[in-house]
């Protein structure tokens, strides 16, 4: 039974004509199991294949075809449950969820209703507002995680009067992770999904690719007066980005408030989010469990797991994001912000550790987060597609550390690396970018600049800030290649500062 005892922060209340309103949010996240074959058949799950090219007789719902449970998918579900600090149920059962749709050839979906493989758990989230301010930590309860098969895909835009059906996804294993209604703002909801994605990616149980639909959320929204009785909820189906989750919740909550304050009532229904218009629209009236006429699947025996099976999986769990964040702060001395950003995703964390190995941890963090991530965002690339590898970025930091190049020149070298011109060493050599460290040469350049600016040199003793002018002139004369620390040292000596 869902309850919503937690009262949200007043800053998250929505203002209405009759006063403040509190939004109540629960999510059902569907995470595609990282398995090469489907939940009950040996068909491939590869993305992007020709329509209907990965459909077995089981997937197509042919008479007499019997499902066989994919043990690997069960293992992935248990692993995810452990990552969510949840109870693993040694007894679980598959049920038939009966409904009829063109892309569901069996006429039912095999799911888990009364006895899911994973029970209650919880995770901690840190909501972040639009200005980047981090809120207080929130505990979000997990109601359950159950396994089910995905439906196919209906394609409506290939013909004005026909619907095409692609059954490649039909039978793909999904983990449906159902939260308790513990979230009270759009930011908390997106932080929750972000945290879930980080967990399944760290575990390797789902790739978390929302663009491909491998991780998507059904968002349940209702409103109430702060701390009051729960209102009627509406479910927004298949939202596939953090931004859309926030937009959908904002729109839906305000829609509820406007209807209630105008004297109307909220119909329990399933809605779709239109990302172009930024609004939700009715899809169908919301079904309850009895509408699906659940009953145990007669073709599948209940799952009875041995405790040793669960213990083995638990012993093999990788380092989880929260533990890795703590380690980054203690082992590398990173501030909380850096550690949080770098450990939100296993790929980012692995990349950073490769860059930081044997180098200054904070400098490695700055170059990874600011220069590399910034360039990737600008180019609309994922880290997996980065033209600058961890070894290449580490090599660039080595050239800064040994004074081969200055930090300023390093940014030019990085830009060339990102554009595919080679490694740092190759670019430095080809472009003649080695830093001038010869003290004799630097002294000559400094003296030339002082001789050319006698008035400023005379005024420097009274106004030491003028040293910045001289540093700029020397760096200009050296085309940015003079070692800035050496230039400062020589200038102070010659100007008597």
């Amino acid at each position: 039974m869902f309850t919503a005892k937690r009262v949200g922060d007043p800053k998250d209340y929505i203002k209405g004509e009759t006063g403040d309103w509190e939004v109540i949010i629960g999510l059902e996240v569907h995470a595609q199991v990282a398995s090469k074959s489907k939940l009950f058949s040996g068909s491939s799950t590869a993305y992007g294949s020709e329509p209907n090219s990965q459909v077995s007789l089981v997937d197509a719902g042919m008479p007499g075809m019997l499902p066989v449970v994919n043990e690997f998918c069960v293992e992935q579900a248990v692993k995810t449950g452990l990552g969510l600090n949840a109870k693993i149920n040694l007894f679980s059962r598959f049920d038939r969820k009966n409904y009829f749709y063109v892309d569901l050839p069996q006429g039912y979906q095999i799911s888990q209703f009364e006895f899911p493989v994973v029970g209650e758990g919880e995770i901690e989230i840190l909501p972040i507002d639009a200005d980047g301010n981090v809120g207080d930590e929130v505990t979000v309860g997990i109601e359950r995680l159950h396994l089910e098969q995905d439906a196919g895909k209906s394609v409506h835009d290939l013909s004005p009067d026909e619907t095409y059906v692609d059954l490649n996804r039909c039978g793909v294993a999904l983990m449906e992770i159902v939260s308790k209604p513990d979230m009270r703002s759009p930011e908390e909801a997106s932080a929750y999904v972000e945290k879930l994605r980080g967990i399944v990616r760290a575990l390797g149980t789902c790739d978390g690719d929302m663009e491909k639909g491998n991780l998507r959320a059904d968002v349940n929204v209702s409103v109430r007066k702060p701390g009051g009785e729960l209102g009627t909820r509406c479910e927004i189906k298949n939202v596939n980005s953090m931004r859309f989750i926030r937009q959908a919740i904002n729109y839906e909550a305000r829609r509820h408030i406007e209807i209630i304050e105008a004297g109307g009532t909220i119909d329990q229904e399933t809605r779709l989010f239109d990302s172009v218009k930024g609004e939700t629209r009715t899809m169908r009236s919301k079904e309850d469990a009895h509408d699906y006429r659940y009953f145990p699947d007669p073709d599948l025996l209940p799952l009875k797991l041995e405790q040793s099976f669960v213990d083995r999986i638990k012993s093999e769990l990788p380092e989880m994001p929260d533990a890795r964040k703590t380690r980054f702060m203690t082992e590398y001395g990173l501030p909380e912000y850096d550690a949080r950003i770098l450990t939100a995703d296993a790929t980012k964390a692995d990349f950073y550790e490769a860059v930081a190995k044997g180098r200054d941890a904070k400098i490695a963090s700055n170059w990874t987060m600011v220069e590399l991530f910034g360039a990737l965002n600008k180019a609309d690339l994922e880290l997996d597609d980065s033209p600058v590898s961890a070894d290449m970025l580490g090599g660039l930091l080595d050239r800064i550390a040994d004074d081969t190049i200055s930090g300023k020149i390093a940014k030019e070298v990085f830009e060339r690396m990102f554009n595919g011109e080679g490694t740092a060493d190759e670019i430095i050599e080809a472009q003649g970018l080695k830093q001038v460290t010869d003290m004799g040469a630097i002294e000559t350049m400094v003296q030339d600049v002082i001789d050319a600016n006698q008035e400023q040199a005379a005024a420097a003793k009274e106004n030491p800030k003028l040293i910045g002018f001289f540093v700029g002139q020397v760096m200009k004369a050296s085309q940015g290649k003079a070692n800035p620390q050496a230039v400062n040292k020589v200038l102070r000596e010659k100007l008597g500062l």
Side-chain angles (χ1 to χ4, degrees):
M1 179 66 181
F2 287 125
T3 59
K5 295 180 181 179
R6 178 189 169 220
V7 179
D9 191 313
K11 69 177 175 57
D12 295 321
Y13 293 167
I14 300 174
K15 300 289 184 182
E17 292 183 0
T18 62
D20 290 335
W21 292 85
E22 183 182 19
V23 60
I24 309 298
I25 306 161
L27 288 99
E28 300 164 16
V29 174
H30 293 82
Q32 180 176 324
V33 177
S35 169
K36 293 181 180 180
S37 55
K38 297 181 181 181
L39 183 55
F40 299 115
S41 81
S43 297
S44 172
T45 60
Y47 180 79
S49 301
E50 288 293 316
N52 297 307
S53 63
Q54 298 174 172
V55 187
S56 73
L57 297 177
V58 173
D59 306 325
M62 293 298 176
M65 296 296 103
L66 297 177
V68 177
V69 177
N70 184 335
E71 182 180 342
F72 179 76
C73 293
V74 175
E75 182 173 341
Q76 297 294 78
V78 171
K79 184 184 293 185
T80 304
L82 292 169
L84 298 174
N85 304 306
K87 179 180 183 295
I88 306 302
N89 295 321
L90 299 183
F91 175 91
S92 62
R93 188 182 71 196
F94 287 103
D95 303 281
R96 289 188 182 180
K97 180 181 181 181
N98 296 275
Y99 65 97
F100 299 93
Y101 204 68
V102 65
D103 57 16
L104 194 70
Q106 293 169 310
Y108 58 84
Q109 178 189 34
I110 302 178
S111 183
Q112 292 184 313
F113 176 55
E114 189 175 0
F115 300 102
V117 67
V118 176
E120 292 190 349
E122 62 180 30
I123 61 174
E124 306 291 336
I125 63 170
L126 282 173
I128 303 173
D129 65 20
D131 297 321
N133 299 313
V134 181
D136 295 332
E137 192 171 67
V138 175
T139 300
V140 178
I142 305 295
E143 181 71 18
R144 58 188 279 147
L145 177 156
H146 62 261
L147 279 168
E148 63 183 22
Q149 57 179 174
D150 203 354
K153 180 181 180 182
S154 296
V155 183
H156 304 290
D157 56 3
L158 295 180
S159 169
D161 52 13
E162 293 176 313
T163 292
Y164 289 74
V165 178
D166 179 6
L167 296 181
N168 279 351
R169 285 192 66 89
C170 193
V172 166
L174 299 178
M175 298 178 289
E176 180 171 340
I177 305 166
V178 182
S179 82
K180 295 184 178 180
D182 289 340
M183 289 155 279
R184 299 291 178 267
S185 71
E187 290 73 29
E188 289 182 11
S190 62
Y192 168 79
V193 177
E194 190 74 62
K195 185 65 173 286
L196 271 187
R197 184 167 67 169
I199 289 172
V200 297
R201 281 181 167 178
L203 293 167
T205 57
C206 172
D207 68 13
D209 193 328
M210 298 186 81
E211 289 187 5
K212 294 179 181 178
N214 293 351
L215 189 84
R216 55 192 192 266
D218 296 343
V219 184
N220 290 278
V221 177
S222 66
V223 298
R224 69 178 180 185
K225 287 295 183 178
E229 294 292 322
L230 288 175
T232 300
R233 66 185 173 93
C234 290
E235 180 184 44
I236 310 165
K237 293 290 287 185
N238 294 330
V239 189
N240 66 345
S241 86
M242 307 302 173
R243 180 165 61 91
F244 293 163
I245 287 171
R246 293 191 293 271
Q247 289 178 350
I249 292 170
N250 268 317
Y251 177 87
E252 188 65 12
R254 295 181 186 281
R255 185 184 74 86
H256 284 214
I257 293 167
E258 288 177 7
I259 291 172
I260 296 169
E261 291 189 329
T265 57
I266 303 298
D267 294 325
Q268 182 174 319
E269 61 180 352
T270 300
R271 299 176 69 84
L272 291 175
F273 178 66
D274 187 327
S275 60
V276 176
K277 296 181 178 179
E279 61 187 36
T280 65
R281 64 174 186 269
T282 298
M283 179 181 178
R284 59 175 181 264
S285 60
K286 176 64 179 172
E287 300 90 346
D288 289 313
H290 63 265
D291 294 315
Y292 291 118
R293 304 188 318 280
Y294 281 100
F295 63 85
D297 192 297
D299 294 333
L300 289 163
L301 291 171
L303 288 176
K304 294 183 179 180
L305 307 179
E306 296 291 339
Q307 186 61 48
S308 58
F309 176 78
V310 177
D311 292 341
R312 175 185 62 79
I313 297 172
K314 188 173 184 178
S315 70
E316 297 172 354
L317 288 180
E319 187 177 30
M320 300 306 294
D322 284 347
R324 204 168 194 182
K325 173 187 167 184
T326 300
R327 180 169 64 81
F328 276 24
M329 294 172 68
T330 55
E331 183 176 324
Y332 295 113
L334 295 182
E336 188 276 339
Y337 175 80
D338 291 34
R340 171 162 43 86
I341 297 298
L342 291 170
T343 59
D345 182 278
T347 304
K348 290 180 179 178
D350 291 342
F351 188 99
Y352 167 73
E353 292 217 76
V355 174
K357 187 175 182 180
R359 302 183 179 98
D360 184 290
K362 181 55 181 170
I363 292 176
S365 171
N366 291 343
W367 276 87
T368 301
M369 292 172 55
V370 179
E371 302 300 332
L372 180 63
F373 291 175
L376 290 172
N377 287 336
K378 188 175 180 180
D380 196 25
L381 291 173
E382 294 295 329
L383 184 56
D384 287 336
D385 302 316
S386 173
V388 177
S389 68
D391 285 344
M392 290 172 68
L393 184 56
L396 176 63
L397 301 191
D398 290 339
R399 297 293 78 78
I400 300 172
D402 64 14
D403 289 332
T404 299
I405 55 174
S406 65
K408 183 177 180 180
I409 291 177
K411 292 188 177 183
E412 178 187 340
V413 174
F414 174 81
E415 187 175 340
R416 290 177 177 274
M417 289 167 61
F418 199 84
N419 291 332
E421 295 183 29
T423 65
D425 287 338
E426 291 168 346
I427 293 167
I428 292 166
E429 187 65 33
Q431 300 297 322
L433 297 175
K434 284 186 178 179
Q435 189 167 236
V436 177
T437 57
D438 179 80
M439 293 304 290
I442 290 174
E443 286 184 4
T444 300
M445 285 187 282
V446 168
Q447 190 61 55
D448 289 345
V449 169
I450 290 175
D451 292 343
N453 298 277
Q454 289 292 328
E455 288 186 14
Q456 289 93 331
K461 287 185 179 180
E462 299 297 327
N463 184 11
K465 291 183 179 179
L466 280 173
I467 193 172
F469 163 77
F470 286 99
V471 170
Q473 292 300 305
V474 174
M475 296 307 292
K476 182 178 179 181
S478 69
Q479 297 181 319
K481 297 177 186 177
N483 182 290
Q485 289 79 17
V487 170
N488 265 280
K489 182 175 182 296
V490 175
L491 274 169
R492 289 185 180 279
E493 289 173 354
K494 289 187 175 290
L495 294 173
L497 299 180

